[in-house]
């Protein structure tokens, strides 16, 4: 173990259980996490999806088609960019940014939606539904559906529609129907409930493109697999640039798809530390944050066992984050597993720290990161100075901040 | 003997199906829930399905979701619901099965929860988001306490799944009549009678049918082939309609609807 790991005030050394890289097991469990907790009506559809995905994964035609669209349509590989001015300012480890914001539609979400739309086509499904928080997954789904000419309905909480109006308009332009959700907290959790309810009725002809590594098996595994293109590219790119693996990976965690996509190819590389950054919101009281892994308990939400922010009865608690994409009381089951296994660590940063990082990254690097990714950068700003100059951090810049301009302007008191 | 088994045995002797009204515990308050259960019993209901409100139900439509919200907004706790059942048991012996989300069961711990529920006087659970393959342990524990875990079959259920579900279910089998969520519907699905008959050939467990059964006429049709008829949203909607009225008036009006549904089922 390197000395910095021991010196750091943030972390203990990470550990690797032997079974970790091969999870989930056949029944979709990551240890005590994961599983399939959904009504019987959609159980057969999950079995069908699992089977279709297993077949597709091993079919060279499918993988070739996926690679084709990722390259020619999404614009992969995305650059791994050395953030020189940010590195110099912080005066510690060398910082690389994985530029998922440069993908078509401006975020990592499209890696998954292209994969799932190809699968939906293969299964002969005639209609697509999705949930969205910040709207990035909604836009990525609408985009994939438009490209293949498939009908698409996106569920979105009314609160998120308000704070992400640009993405709502983009989805409409792309021919998708955006269905406002007025129940509960009117955010991502409620949009997910509504998408499941739609699927309960439409399951025979509709595929539900879940946008994160959450939900019932096989979603956490399948979405992860589609997103691991991020980590696989990083591995190749950092070897080219630095001739070694990074010391640390940092990514934001809402449901946890960009972080899992970055982390997973490195799970077996025990010296690469993996740090997930959650939304610390405006405080540590109930309803002020969305730090599921850092302050939640094990429970059931949206079809899987994982850490959840809930009360002593198992009722979901209200959450808050300035970032609509992180404003979620649950998290992917594999993250819960990695946390308890001691292979990944999870921290949180506040709304204010994220907004500060948003501006710093814009000024220092000429890159406006999404508020979600700004959480990862905010933590990097605290963490990098503690590392040596010859150490290397890779941060997943999961999306572009264009969509957040209005919300940040409002927060900073600008009128636009 | 568990009250649910006893009831189905009694009804079988009479050649009548069970009528099973659903209400949400604590909608609008627990005293009303208790009064409603007693009223339903008087009106001829055989078994009560009592919903334990959950913040994020994915099998429920807007009517039942709203009833859960009405109960949760007042801060209702599971322990208070069980206390109400204990009180009710001084006055009534009607079988009660609770519809409860797995999140709540998981959080309480199955052993503890089943023990407490049984001690309070509940007879079983239906857990809509717990498929049979996820938790063998809970069925074992339930058996030990003579408590019932009622499983679901949907129109989408494959023959293979049907087999393992009919083997596992306890008390009765809950057949979900429609591909969809709970709610009031104008018509029953075309394939409903055919599907129930098909299911009857596969199992001797009583089959109760719910989701979308909304009118006395629906109840009569389903009752002709099934062993039990479950009506939820139509009754909960009636509660909602009477929400501003006095407790007595609400109970009387909702009881009136249940009376009509009982008449539909029993003719």
């Amino acid at each position: 173990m390197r000395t910095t790991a021991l010196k750091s005030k943030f972390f203990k050394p990470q550990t690797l259980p032997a079974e970790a890289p091969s999870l989930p097991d056949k029944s979709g469990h990551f240890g005590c996490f994961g599983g399939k907790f959904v009504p019987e009506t959609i159980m057969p559809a999950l079995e069908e999806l699992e089977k279709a995905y297993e077949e597709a994964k091993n079919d060279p035609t499918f993988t070739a088609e996926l690679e084709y669209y990722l390259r020619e349509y999404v614009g992969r590989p995305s650059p791994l960019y050395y953030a020189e001015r940010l590195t110099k300012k912080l005066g510690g480890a060398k910082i690389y940014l994985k530029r998922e914001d440069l993908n078509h539609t401006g975020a990592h979400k499209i890696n998954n939606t292209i994969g799932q739309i190809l699968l939906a086509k293969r299964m002969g499904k005639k209609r697509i539904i999705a949930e969205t928080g910040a709207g990035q997954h909604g836009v990525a789904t609408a985009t994939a559906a438009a490209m293949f000419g498939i009908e698409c309905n996106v569920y979105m909480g009314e609160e998120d529609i308000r704070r992400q109006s640009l993405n709502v308009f983009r989805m409409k332009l792309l021919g998708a129907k955006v269905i406002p959700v007025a129940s509960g907290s009117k955010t991502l959790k409620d949009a997910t409930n509504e998408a499941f309810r739609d699927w309960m009725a439409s399951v025979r002809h509709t595929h539900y493109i879940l946008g994160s590594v959450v939900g019932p098996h096989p979603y956490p595994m399948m979405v992860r697999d589609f997103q691991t293109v991020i980590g696989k590219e990083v591995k190749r790119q950092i070897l080219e640039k630095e001739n070694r693996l990074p010391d640390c990976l940092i990514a934001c965690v809402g449901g946890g798809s960009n972080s899992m996509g970055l982390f997973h190819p490195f799970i077996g590389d025990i010296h690469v530390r993996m740090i997930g950054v959650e939304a610390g919101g405006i405080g540590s009281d109930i309803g002020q944050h969305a730090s599921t892994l850092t302050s939640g308990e094990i429970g059931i939400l949206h079809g899987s066992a994982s850490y959840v922010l809930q009360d002593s009865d198992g009722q979901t608690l209200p959450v808050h984050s300035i970032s609509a994409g992180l404003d979620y009381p649950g998290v992917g089951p594999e993250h819960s597993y990695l946390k308890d296994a001691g292979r990944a660590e999870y921290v949180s940063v506040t709304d204010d720290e994220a907004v500060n990082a948003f501006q710093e990254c814009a000024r220092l690097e000429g890159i406006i990161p999404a508020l979600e990714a700004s959480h990862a950068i905010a933590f990097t700003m605290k963490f990098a100075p503690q590392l040596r100059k010859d150490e290397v951090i890779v941060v997943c810049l999961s999306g572009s901040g264009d969509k957040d301009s209005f919300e940040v302007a409002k927060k900073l008191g600008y009128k636009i | 003997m568990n009250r649910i088994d006893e009831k189905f045995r009694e009804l079988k002797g009479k050649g009548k199906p069970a009528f099973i009204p659903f209400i949400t515990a604590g909608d609008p308050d627990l005293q009303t829930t208790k009064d409603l259960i007693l009223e339903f019993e008087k009106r001829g209901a055989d078994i009560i399905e009592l919903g334990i409100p959950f913040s994020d139900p994915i099998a429920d439509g807007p009517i039942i979701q709203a009833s859960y919200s009405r109960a949760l907004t007042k801060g209702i706790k599971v322990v208070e619901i069980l206390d109400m059942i204990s009180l009710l048991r001084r006055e009534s012996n009607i079988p009660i099965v609770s519809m409860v989300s797995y999140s709540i069961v998981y959080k309480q711990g199955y052993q503890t929860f089943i023990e407490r529920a049984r001690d309070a006087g509940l007879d079983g659970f239906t857990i809509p988001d717990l498929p049979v393959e996820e938790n063998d342990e809970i069925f074992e524990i339930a058996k030990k306490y003579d408590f019932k875990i009622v499983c679901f079959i949907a129109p989408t259920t494959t023959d293979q799944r049907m087999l393992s579900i009919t083997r596992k279910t306890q008390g009765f089998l809950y057949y979900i009549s429609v591909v969809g969520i709970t709610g009031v519907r104008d018509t029953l699905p075309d394939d409903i009678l055919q599907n129930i008959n098909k299911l009857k050939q596969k199992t001797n467990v009583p089959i109760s049918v719910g989701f979308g059964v909304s009118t006395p006429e629906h109840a009569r049709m389903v009752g002709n082939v099934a062993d039990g008829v479950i009506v939820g949203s139509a009754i909960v909607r009636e509660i909602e309609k009477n929400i501003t009225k006095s407790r007595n008036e609400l109970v009387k009006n909702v009881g009136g609807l249940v009376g009509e549904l009982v008449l539909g089922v029993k003719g």
Side-chain angles (χ1 to χ4, degrees), chain B residues 119-140:
Chain B
D119 289 350
L122 277 180
D123 303 291
F125 288 151
T126 60
I127 311 172
D129 51 351
L130 181 69
V132 282
E133 51 270 73
E134 275 294 347
N135 195 334
D136 284 333
E137 205 187 335
I138 200 165
F139 290 93
E140 293 308 313

Side-chain angles (χ1 to χ4, degrees), chain A residues 128-143:
Chain A
I128 293 296
I129 51 170
E131 84 294 338
T132 197
Q136 288 303 103
H137 174 59
V139 167
T141 305
T143 299

Side-chain angles (χ1 to χ4, degrees), chain A residues 314-332:
Chain A
Q315 311 284 359
T316 313
L317 289 171
V319 290
H320 162 82
S321 171
I322 189 170
S323 145
L326 303 184
D327 198 355
Y328 182 66
V331 69

Side-chain angles (χ1 to χ4, degrees), chain B:
Chain B
M1 193 185 199
N2 185 289
R3 293 184 193 94
I4 297 170
D5 290 341
E6 217 170 319
K7 177 58 80 177
F8 275 110
R9 179 187 285 189
E10 172 199 323
L11 289 169
K12 199 170 182 188
K14 292 184 189 162
K16 294 272 181 197
F19 178 66
I20 309 172
F22 169 98
I23 50 170
T24 294
D27 173 27
D29 57 65
L30 282 169
Q31 180 61 47
T32 307
T33 303
K34 182 165 163 276
D35 291 356
L36 280 170
I37 294 174
L38 292 170
E39 177 73 14
F40 291 175
E41 187 178 20
K42 249 191 268 169
R43 300 271 189 170
D46 299 294
I47 299 172
I48 302 293
E49 189 186 8
L50 185 65
I52 296 186
F54 178 51
S55 53
D56 297 276
I58 57 180
D60 284 305
I63 295 173
I64 291 180
Q65 277 177 54
S67 74
Y68 284 176
S69 296
R70 284 194 293 274
L72 289 173
T73 308
K74 295 187 179 157
I76 194 169
K77 290 286 179 187
V78 171
V79 60
E80 295 165 349
I81 297 172
L82 296 182
D83 287 348
M84 181 273 290
I85 302 284
S86 301
L87 283 178
L88 176 86
R89 279 293 173 229
R90 295 178 190 169
E91 299 171 64
S92 166
N93 212 27
I94 191 165
I96 306 174
V97 55
S98 253
M99 163 95 84
V100 56
S101 287
Y102 190 57
S103 170
I104 295 170
V105 180
Y106 185 92
K107 193 72 185 175
Q108 310 273 328
Y110 352 113
Q111 171 100 26
T112 324
F113 195 27
I114 288 176
E115 201 176 311
R116 281 190 191 151
R118 198 228 20 201
D119 289 350
L122 277 180
D123 303 291
F125 288 151
T126 60
I127 311 172
D129 51 351
L130 181 69
V132 282
E133 51 270 73
E134 275 294 347
N135 195 334
D136 284 333
E137 205 187 335
I138 200 165
F139 290 93
E140 293 308 313
I141 295 170
K143 236 176 246 167
K144 209 169 75 190
Y145 288 95
D146 194 23
F147 194 79
K148 304 295 177 186
I149 304 292
V150 176
C151 300
F152 293 83
I153 280 187
T156 49
T157 302
T158 55
D159 286 356
Q160 201 187 344
R161 296 188 59 78
M162 208 175 269
L163 198 66
S164 58
I165 296 169
T166 51
R167 275 186 194 148
K168 277 208 167 161
T169 194
Q170 302 167 341
F172 62 95
L173 189 63
Y174 193 129
Y175 180 69
I176 300 174
S177 72
V178 294
V179 179
I181 51 180
T182 58
V184 173
R185 290 175 174 82
D186 294 335
T187 54
L188 292 171
D190 297 334
D191 56 358
I192 182 169
L193 301 183
Q194 189 193 328
N195 287 350
I196 299 168
N197 279 323
K198 183 180 161 195
L199 199 53
K200 274 168 98 173
Q201 285 159 20
K202 309 224 170 184
T203 178
N204 294 321
V205 183
I207 299 164
S208 298
V209 178
F211 280 50
V213 183
S214 311
T215 65
E217 178 56 18
H218 290 173
R220 187 188 60 75
M221 271 176 65
V222 171
N224 281 339
V225 285
D227 304 297
V229 181
I230 304 166
V231 177
S233 295
I235 294 170
V236 174
R237 186 175 61 178
E238 193 63 24
I239 294 176
E240 191 173 13
K241 264 191 214 160
N242 285 279
I243 209 88
T244 55
K245 307 241 169 82
S246 73
R247 180 177 297 145
N248 286 344
E249 211 170 337
L250 182 150
V251 171
K252 196 178 117 226
N253 291 346
V254 179
L257 172 65
V258 167
E260 287 169 34
L261 290 160
V262 168
L263 210 63
V265 173
K266 315 256 174 178

Side-chain angles (χ1 to χ4, degrees), chain A residues 193-387:
Chain A
N193 288 340
E194 221 49 63
F196 271 113
R197 288 176 193 133
D198 180 309
W199 209 29
M200 283 282 288
S202 62
V203 65
R204 282 176 167 145
H205 64 280
T206 295
H207 175 61
Y208 176 15
I209 300 191
L210 236 169
S212 193
V213 288
V214 301
H217 181 67
Y219 284 104
M221 171 185 77
M222 181 176 70
V223 176
R224 173 199 75 194
D225 290 352
F226 288 137
Q227 291 294 359
T228 51
V229 66
I230 302 173
K232 286 176 187 161
E233 283 177 9
V234 165
K235 212 168 194 177
R236 203 178 61 233
Q237 290 166 322
I238 201 72
L239 284 173
E240 274 165 23
K241 290 173 200 292
E242 295 285 339
N243 201 27
R244 67 181 187 90
L245 294 181
D247 297 280
C248 186
L249 306 171
I250 298 175
C252 66
V253 181
S257 69
N258 87 84
S259 47
M260 193 51 73
L262 174 65
F263 292 174
H264 199 263
F266 291 92
I267 280 188
D269 303 304
I270 187 67
H271 295 297
V272 179
R273 291 157 63 186
M274 313 194 298
I275 302 163
V277 187
E278 296 191 303
I282 51 171
S284 56
D285 288 348
I286 289 169
Q288 293 188 329
H289 63 88
S291 304
T292 310
L293 286 160
T294 39
S295 60
E297 291 170 15
I298 302 173
I300 311 290
L301 180 66
H302 292 147
S304 59
S306 196
Y307 277 86
V308 185
L309 289 166
Q310 56 176 203
D311 72 8
S312 56
D313 265 5
Q315 311 284 359
T316 313
L317 289 171
V319 290
H320 162 82
S321 171
I322 189 170
S323 145
L326 303 184
D327 198 355
Y328 182 66
V331 69
E334 192 164 13
H335 281 295
S336 294
Y337 172 82
L338 293 177
K339 174 193 156 90
D340 278 13
R343 178 60 187 101
E345 287 140 294
Y346 298 88
V347 296
S348 70
V349 301
T350 64
D351 282 357
D352 287 345
E353 288 171 322
V355 169
N356 177 52
F358 180 94
Q359 299 170 83
E360 282 285 329
C361 188
R363 286 188 203 125
L364 287 169
E365 296 295 343
I367 299 168
I368 302 175
L371 276 174
E372 290 77 19
S374 299
H375 283 72
I377 294 165
F379 179 74
T380 305
M381 288 168 61
K382 293 198 270 188
F383 183 58
Q386 297 183 43
L387 300 189

